[in-house]
Amino acid sequence: MNIFRIKIYQQIILKNSNALLKRKYSNNKLILNNLITKSNEVKLASSPVVALESTIITHGLPYPTNLEMALEVEDVVRSEGAVPATIAFLNGKFKVGLDKNEIEKIAKNHQKAIKISRRDLPYVFSKDSSLIGGTTVSATCIAAHAAGIEIFCTGGIGGVHRDYAESMDVSADLQELARTPVTVVSSGVKSILDIGKTLEYLETMGVCVATFNHNGSKEFPSFFTTKSGFSAPYNCSNAHEVACLIESNLKIGFNSGLLIAVPIPCEYAADNELINTAINDALKEAAVLEITGKKVTPFLLEKINKITKGESLKSNLALIKNNAKVSAQIALELHRLRSQRSILVNSSISNQVSVIGGTNLDLSFKLIDESTLNIHGVTQPVIFNQVLGGVGRNMAEALTKMGVQNSLISSVGSDLIGRFVYEELNRIGIETDRVKIVEDKKVSTGSYCAVFGMNGDLKLALGSMKAHDSIDPLLIQKHLDSIRNSELCVIDADIPNESIKIICDFCHQENIPVWFNPTDLRKCTKVYDSKCLDKLTFMSPNYKELLTIFNQTLNGDQAENKLLRMISHKYSFMLENNEEIVEENDLKEILKYMLKHVPFIFLTRGTEDLVVASSVKLFLDKTNQLPSRKNLSDFRKKDWDPHMYLFPIVELKRDDVFVNVSGAGDSNSSGIIAGIFKNYNFVCSIYNGLLSAKYALMTNMNVSEEISKIDLKKVQNLVDKYINRVKTVQLK
């Protein structure tokens, strides 16, 4: 055994020195480079998914037995309440989840199909889309992990061949188990292999192996039979114990998988002596015919089936169905276990903010010279910058930097920009498991181009936001559990009207406050158009957005109010002429009217101040003035007493450099939200936001690195400086 271990270590060092470090990056590449696609059943699955391999269809069984088996195994998974995802290589990509026609296609064309392991992937991806491939345990693990599937069912894994000393033949399945965190459920190792050496190899590679025996036995199965003469280190007696083992493995973060060895049901087990004789005879014939490599296993299984007169095939079919049943039970138990823990965690310390909105690449051009701006055909000299943007994404990054747990639900294209954005999100620390990659190549990642004047004022903005349409009801429905666990939900106006309605209706039902960022003058009325204005708790518009939403709301109001209609007409004219000055008395009337729909409005007024309008009276020095989920019900019981509070902005010092306004509003909103979750009092929450906005003004990034350094002491110093200049106005 020691000599064998040395050989294994040598092989590991020579072939796999960097594999573990590159695993996660590689799997992201499959998604980013559009090399993997999911069926609608898998995409929309609300139940746990079980991955199934396809080499048993292409290389394990003859037609039509292979077709019948594949469909029956999927039916077993469904009957247990899980979703099956047979994985194969079709149309130039990994396909995760095959429909009946696709399964029939690979079953009928099994003789033309390529047997695909990890080593074959560069080759098959380089060929045209006509190639059909059956995925081995190794390749299926890779695709399943990239698709976010944690449980994989197969008949038996590959292992160390009996002639290892001469051939050095070790299945890539074992290496994959060591580097990919997928749980493989099988009836152990195929009987034609050296089971003892395979278990030794798995131990060396650090793969946890457990049997699945209700009686507590650690006897490792021998594929066609229940006993191999070897023991696994551990046993799990039921699906719950396996689920706990999986959770433990993922918590440790080793990035290796698990092997759960399920013995074939006794009534279907083959005769041990008959099988061993058949295996030995088949191995001798393979040696005489000089059959090697990936052809060995299919040849041996076929020969064994002939020698046993079909008994081995019956056992094979029985064990794979039983493994499918056990896999589905484990997947469901894992889902139930996580759901229970999520409820316990969120009932005690939930502070998650769900952020649903756009993710862009922002390009900015700041003019160096405006003297030739009006001359057509002249190239204008600029200072160029590119950063990640999108209101939703900006707020997620700012909240992350300020230590507020949040989840971003967004979308990017599968183009070059999308790949860059996706990798940058990971680098920043924003989880990407809820960021949809749009596979339609006609849809590009959201892009925003802004042209600023020499003083940082916005001259022109251009945008391509088609990808945001993919933040659609299907994506929202898929992540409702995440939203349900939130204390606050933030949405921007980049998402479709239908999605806004689903989110607002759901949050209203679940008593979750919604913060709406209007995003843009053309999009800001979406929340009114979707009939959700009255379901908002917070809104953070600028002057133009507030006036536009006000006009739209008033136009749909049947009540007669001559004063308000006069104000609406007055400022409609001003909007058309790009004017932003609103008289104080008119502003009071506008805010008082809008507060009947949205109880908190945060209005930015450029270099003047931040106006906070509230439908109730607030106290500057008290906490819990701005509601989260835990006190929203209490807030709704308060009497109508509209007020507005004018907070002076944080002034730039003499040596502070003003760069641009992009991202300042998003940072301001995020800072206020962070203040709520850090239990700051009302005025400290506001200045937490205003200081964040100041830092955004001083950087060419949408979110400044400096906001991660903001603490209560810095905020309190600002409050001490500005508190006497804060104005409180009752809106009578």
Side-chain angles (χ1 to χ4, degrees):
M1 285 297 182
N2 288 336
I3 295 173
F4 180 68
R5 277 191 180 226
I6 292 169
K7 289 182 178 180
I8 290 174
Y9 280 125
Q10 289 172 338
Q11 187 175 1
I12 295 167
I13 293 168
L14 289 172
K15 294 184 177 181
N16 297 284
S17 58
N18 295 316
L20 295 178
L21 294 175
K22 295 182 178 179
R23 192 206 82 261
K24 185 174 181 180
Y25 182 73
S26 174
N27 283 323
N28 281 340
K29 284 291 187 180
L30 284 174
I31 298 171
L32 294 171
N33 292 324
N34 198 25
L35 299 177
I36 188 168
T37 184
K38 300 179 187 178
S39 67
N40 285 333
E41 184 181 19
V42 173
K43 279 181 183 177
L44 305 177
S46 56
S47 300
V49 181
V50 174
L52 303 167
E53 61 152 303
S54 52
T55 48
I56 193 170
I57 305 172
T58 59
H59 292 79
L61 299 169
Y63 180 82
T65 305
N66 58 352
L67 174 61
E68 295 166 356
M69 177 279 307
L71 296 176
E72 288 173 7
V73 169
E74 287 206 338
D75 287 342
V76 170
V77 173
R78 290 191 184 95
S79 68
E80 293 294 324
V83 176
T86 300
I87 296 174
F89 190 85
L90 284 173
N91 303 316
K93 299 179 182 181
F94 274 132
K95 179 67 186 293
V96 180
L98 306 184
D99 60 32
K100 186 174 180 180
N101 291 334
E102 289 169 327
I103 292 176
E104 188 169 2
K105 179 180 179 180
I106 67 171
K108 282 184 176 180
N109 294 281
H110 66 99
Q111 292 181 332
K112 299 178 183 177
I114 293 178
K115 187 178 181 181
I116 298 175
S117 185
R118 171 180 277 267
R119 71 160 191 190
D120 307 296
L121 294 179
Y123 173 79
V124 297
F125 280 121
S126 72
K127 294 301 175 183
D128 61 51
S129 59
S130 63
L131 187 146
I132 295 174
T135 54
T136 62
V137 170
S138 173
T140 306
C141 278
I142 292 169
H145 180 50
I149 302 172
E150 296 174 302
I151 311 295
F152 163 33
C153 167
T154 184
I157 66 167
V160 179
H161 282 248
R162 296 192 181 193
D163 64 344
Y164 172 80
E166 294 77 34
S167 68
M168 291 290 289
D169 194 345
V170 178
S171 171
D173 296 352
L174 305 186
Q175 293 281 348
E176 209 58 56
L177 271 166
R179 65 177 129 205
T180 307
V182 171
T183 296
V184 178
V185 179
S186 76
S187 290
V189 182
K190 293 182 178 70
S191 305
I192 57 177
L193 305 170
D194 190 321
I195 295 174
K197 285 187 173 66
T198 299
L199 287 171
E200 182 70 19
Y201 193 105
L202 288 169
E203 180 187 345
T204 301
M205 297 298 292
V207 176
C208 184
V209 179
T211 54
F212 186 84
N213 274 310
H214 299 304
N215 61 9
S217 172
K218 296 178 183 178
E219 175 78 33
F220 195 80
S222 181
F223 197 66
F224 296 121
T225 61
T226 59
K227 297 181 179 180
S228 66
F230 297 94
S231 295
Y234 307 106
N235 174 71
C236 293
S237 299
N238 51 53
H240 178 75
E241 290 185 6
V242 179
C244 291
L245 187 66
I246 294 169
E247 280 286 80
S248 177
N249 186 54
L250 294 175
K251 283 180 181 177
I252 296 169
F254 281 165
N255 294 323
S256 55
L258 300 173
L259 176 62
I260 306 300
V262 183
I264 183 173
C266 292
E267 61 269 29
Y268 298 109
D271 180 79
N272 193 49
E273 186 176 342
L274 176 65
I275 285 294
N276 284 331
T277 300
I279 290 171
N280 290 329
D281 291 347
L283 285 168
K284 290 175 183 177
E285 187 173 348
V288 171
L289 296 175
E290 297 183 342
I291 295 172
T292 59
K294 63 172 69 177
K295 296 179 181 180
V296 172
T297 299
F299 172 82
L300 293 176
L301 292 175
E302 184 180 353
K303 281 295 175 184
I304 292 167
N305 185 46
K306 287 182 180 179
I307 295 170
T308 61
K309 298 179 181 180
E311 289 302 310
S312 66
L313 178 58
K314 291 179 184 177
S315 297
N316 198 348
L317 294 174
L319 69 86
I320 185 64
K321 290 179 187 177
N322 185 61
N323 291 349
K325 180 179 180 179
V326 172
S327 297
Q329 291 171 350
I330 293 169
L332 287 163
E333 183 60 27
L334 182 61
H335 181 73
R336 188 191 66 80
L337 183 65
R338 288 173 175 170
S339 297
Q340 281 185 340
R341 287 179 179 173
S342 177
I343 291 169
L344 289 172
V345 168
N346 287 300
S347 64
S348 58
I349 58 169
S350 173
N351 66 345
Q352 182 192 35
V353 179
S354 285
V355 183
I356 306 152
T359 295
N360 304 329
L361 180 65
D362 284 358
L363 308 175
S364 66
F365 301 85
K366 186 175 182 181
L367 295 165
I368 297 173
D369 180 7
E370 297 185 32
S371 62
T372 59
L373 191 58
N374 296 322
I375 302 176
H376 296 296
V378 175
T379 299
Q380 306 297 333
V382 297
I383 298 171
F384 169 72
N385 187 48
Q386 62 177 357
V387 295
L388 295 189
V391 169
R393 193 223 65 86
N394 288 348
M395 293 187 67
E397 181 182 352
L399 289 168
T400 299
K401 281 183 163 58
M402 287 186 280
V404 177
Q405 181 189 355
N406 68 92
S407 61
L408 174 65
I409 301 173
S410 190
S411 64
V412 296
S414 57
D415 52 5
L416 183 63
I417 294 176
R419 296 170 203 167
F420 169 74
V421 170
Y422 198 86
E423 291 183 5
E424 281 296 292
L425 291 176
N426 280 311
R427 185 188 64 80
I428 291 167
I430 298 175
E431 292 185 1
T432 53
D433 55 345
R434 298 176 185 87
V435 178
K436 178 179 180 180
I437 297 176
V438 184
E439 295 178 359
D440 187 347
K441 292 184 179 180
K442 295 179 182 178
V443 178
S444 60
T445 300
S447 300
Y448 174 79
C449 176
V451 180
F452 295 98
M454 295 172 65
N455 296 320
D457 53 315
L458 183 63
K459 296 288 186 182
L460 176 67
L462 305 169
S464 173
M465 307 295 179
K466 186 68 175 173
H468 299 158
D469 293 343
S470 296
I471 312 173
D472 55 21
L474 288 176
L475 183 64
I476 302 304
Q477 292 281 2
K478 183 178 179 180
H479 297 299
L480 282 181
D481 280 344
S482 174
I483 298 171
R484 180 183 284 111
N485 292 332
S486 304
E487 286 285 312
L488 176 70
C489 183
V490 175
I491 60 174
D492 71 24
D494 277 328
I495 66 178
N497 288 15
E498 299 81 3
S499 298
I500 290 175
K501 180 167 177 55
I502 289 174
I503 295 163
C504 290
D505 287 348
F506 180 79
C507 288
H508 186 73
Q509 177 184 331
E510 296 288 329
N511 203 44
I512 301 170
V514 177
W515 185 299
F516 176 63
N517 191 318
T519 307
D520 181 85
L521 193 60
R522 293 185 180 184
K523 304 173 185 176
C524 63
T525 58
K526 280 186 176 183
V527 74
Y528 175 83
D529 298 335
S530 56
K531 297 180 174 56
C532 292
L533 190 65
D534 291 340
K535 294 176 180 176
L536 302 180
T537 305
F538 305 101
M539 182 168 67
S540 51
N542 59 27
Y543 253 143
K544 290 181 181 179
E545 291 161 352
L546 175 66
L547 291 173
T548 302
I549 296 170
F550 165 68
N551 288 341
Q552 186 87 343
T553 307
L554 189 64
N555 288 338
D557 194 340
Q558 299 299 317
E560 185 64 30
N561 190 317
K562 292 183 180 179
L563 175 61
L564 289 176
R565 296 196 184 280
M566 182 180 69
I567 292 172
S568 176
H569 177 74
K570 175 180 178 180
Y571 291 105
S572 295
F573 174 79
M574 291 181 66
L575 278 171
E576 292 172 5
N577 290 274
N578 204 32
E579 296 180 26
E580 293 190 26
I581 300 174
V582 178
E583 294 178 14
E584 201 76 1
N585 288 333
D586 293 339
L587 178 61
K588 291 177 184 178
E589 293 298 327
I590 292 169
L591 288 173
K592 187 164 64 172
Y593 176 75
M594 290 304 301
L595 286 171
K596 293 178 181 178
H597 299 279
V598 184
F600 289 93
I601 299 172
F602 299 85
L603 173 66
T604 54
R605 297 204 291 187
T607 57
E608 289 183 58
D609 52 26
L610 172 69
V611 178
V612 179
S614 170
S615 61
V616 298
K617 184 177 180 180
L618 303 175
F619 298 91
L620 297 179
D621 60 347
K622 290 188 177 181
T623 60
N624 297 320
Q625 298 298 290
L626 302 175
S628 62
R629 188 178 191 173
K630 62 186 177 183
N631 62 339
L632 183 59
S633 296
D634 293 336
F635 167 80
R636 286 174 174 163
K637 296 174 185 176
K638 292 184 178 181
D639 294 331
W640 167 260
D641 188 7
H643 279 67
M644 74 175 186
Y645 304 85
L646 311 180
F647 293 89
I649 66 163
V650 180
E651 299 162 349
L652 294 176
K653 298 177 182 177
R654 182 176 299 177
D655 55 346
D656 290 338
V657 179
F658 174 75
V659 180
N660 67 66
V661 298
S662 181
D666 304 336
S667 293
N668 179 52
S669 297
S670 300
I672 295 170
I673 292 170
I676 295 173
F677 285 99
K678 292 180 179 181
N679 204 32
Y680 289 178
N681 63 31
F682 176 36
V683 67
C684 283
S685 294
I686 298 303
Y687 275 99
N688 197 58
L690 288 172
L691 182 56
S692 301
K694 175 190 172 181
Y695 286 147
L697 293 171
M698 296 165 57
T699 179
N700 56 12
M701 308 293 287
N702 282 326
V703 179
S704 171
E705 294 290 339
E706 293 298 313
I707 65 172
S708 61
K709 303 174 185 177
I710 298 175
D711 56 23
L712 184 56
K713 183 178 180 181
K714 287 184 179 180
V715 173
Q716 190 61 56
N717 288 338
L718 286 175
V719 170
D720 293 342
K721 179 178 179 180
Y722 291 106
I723 187 67
N724 292 329
R725 292 163 56 187
V726 176
K727 297 179 182 178
T728 301
V729 180
Q730 186 175 16
L731 300 176
K732 298 180 180 179

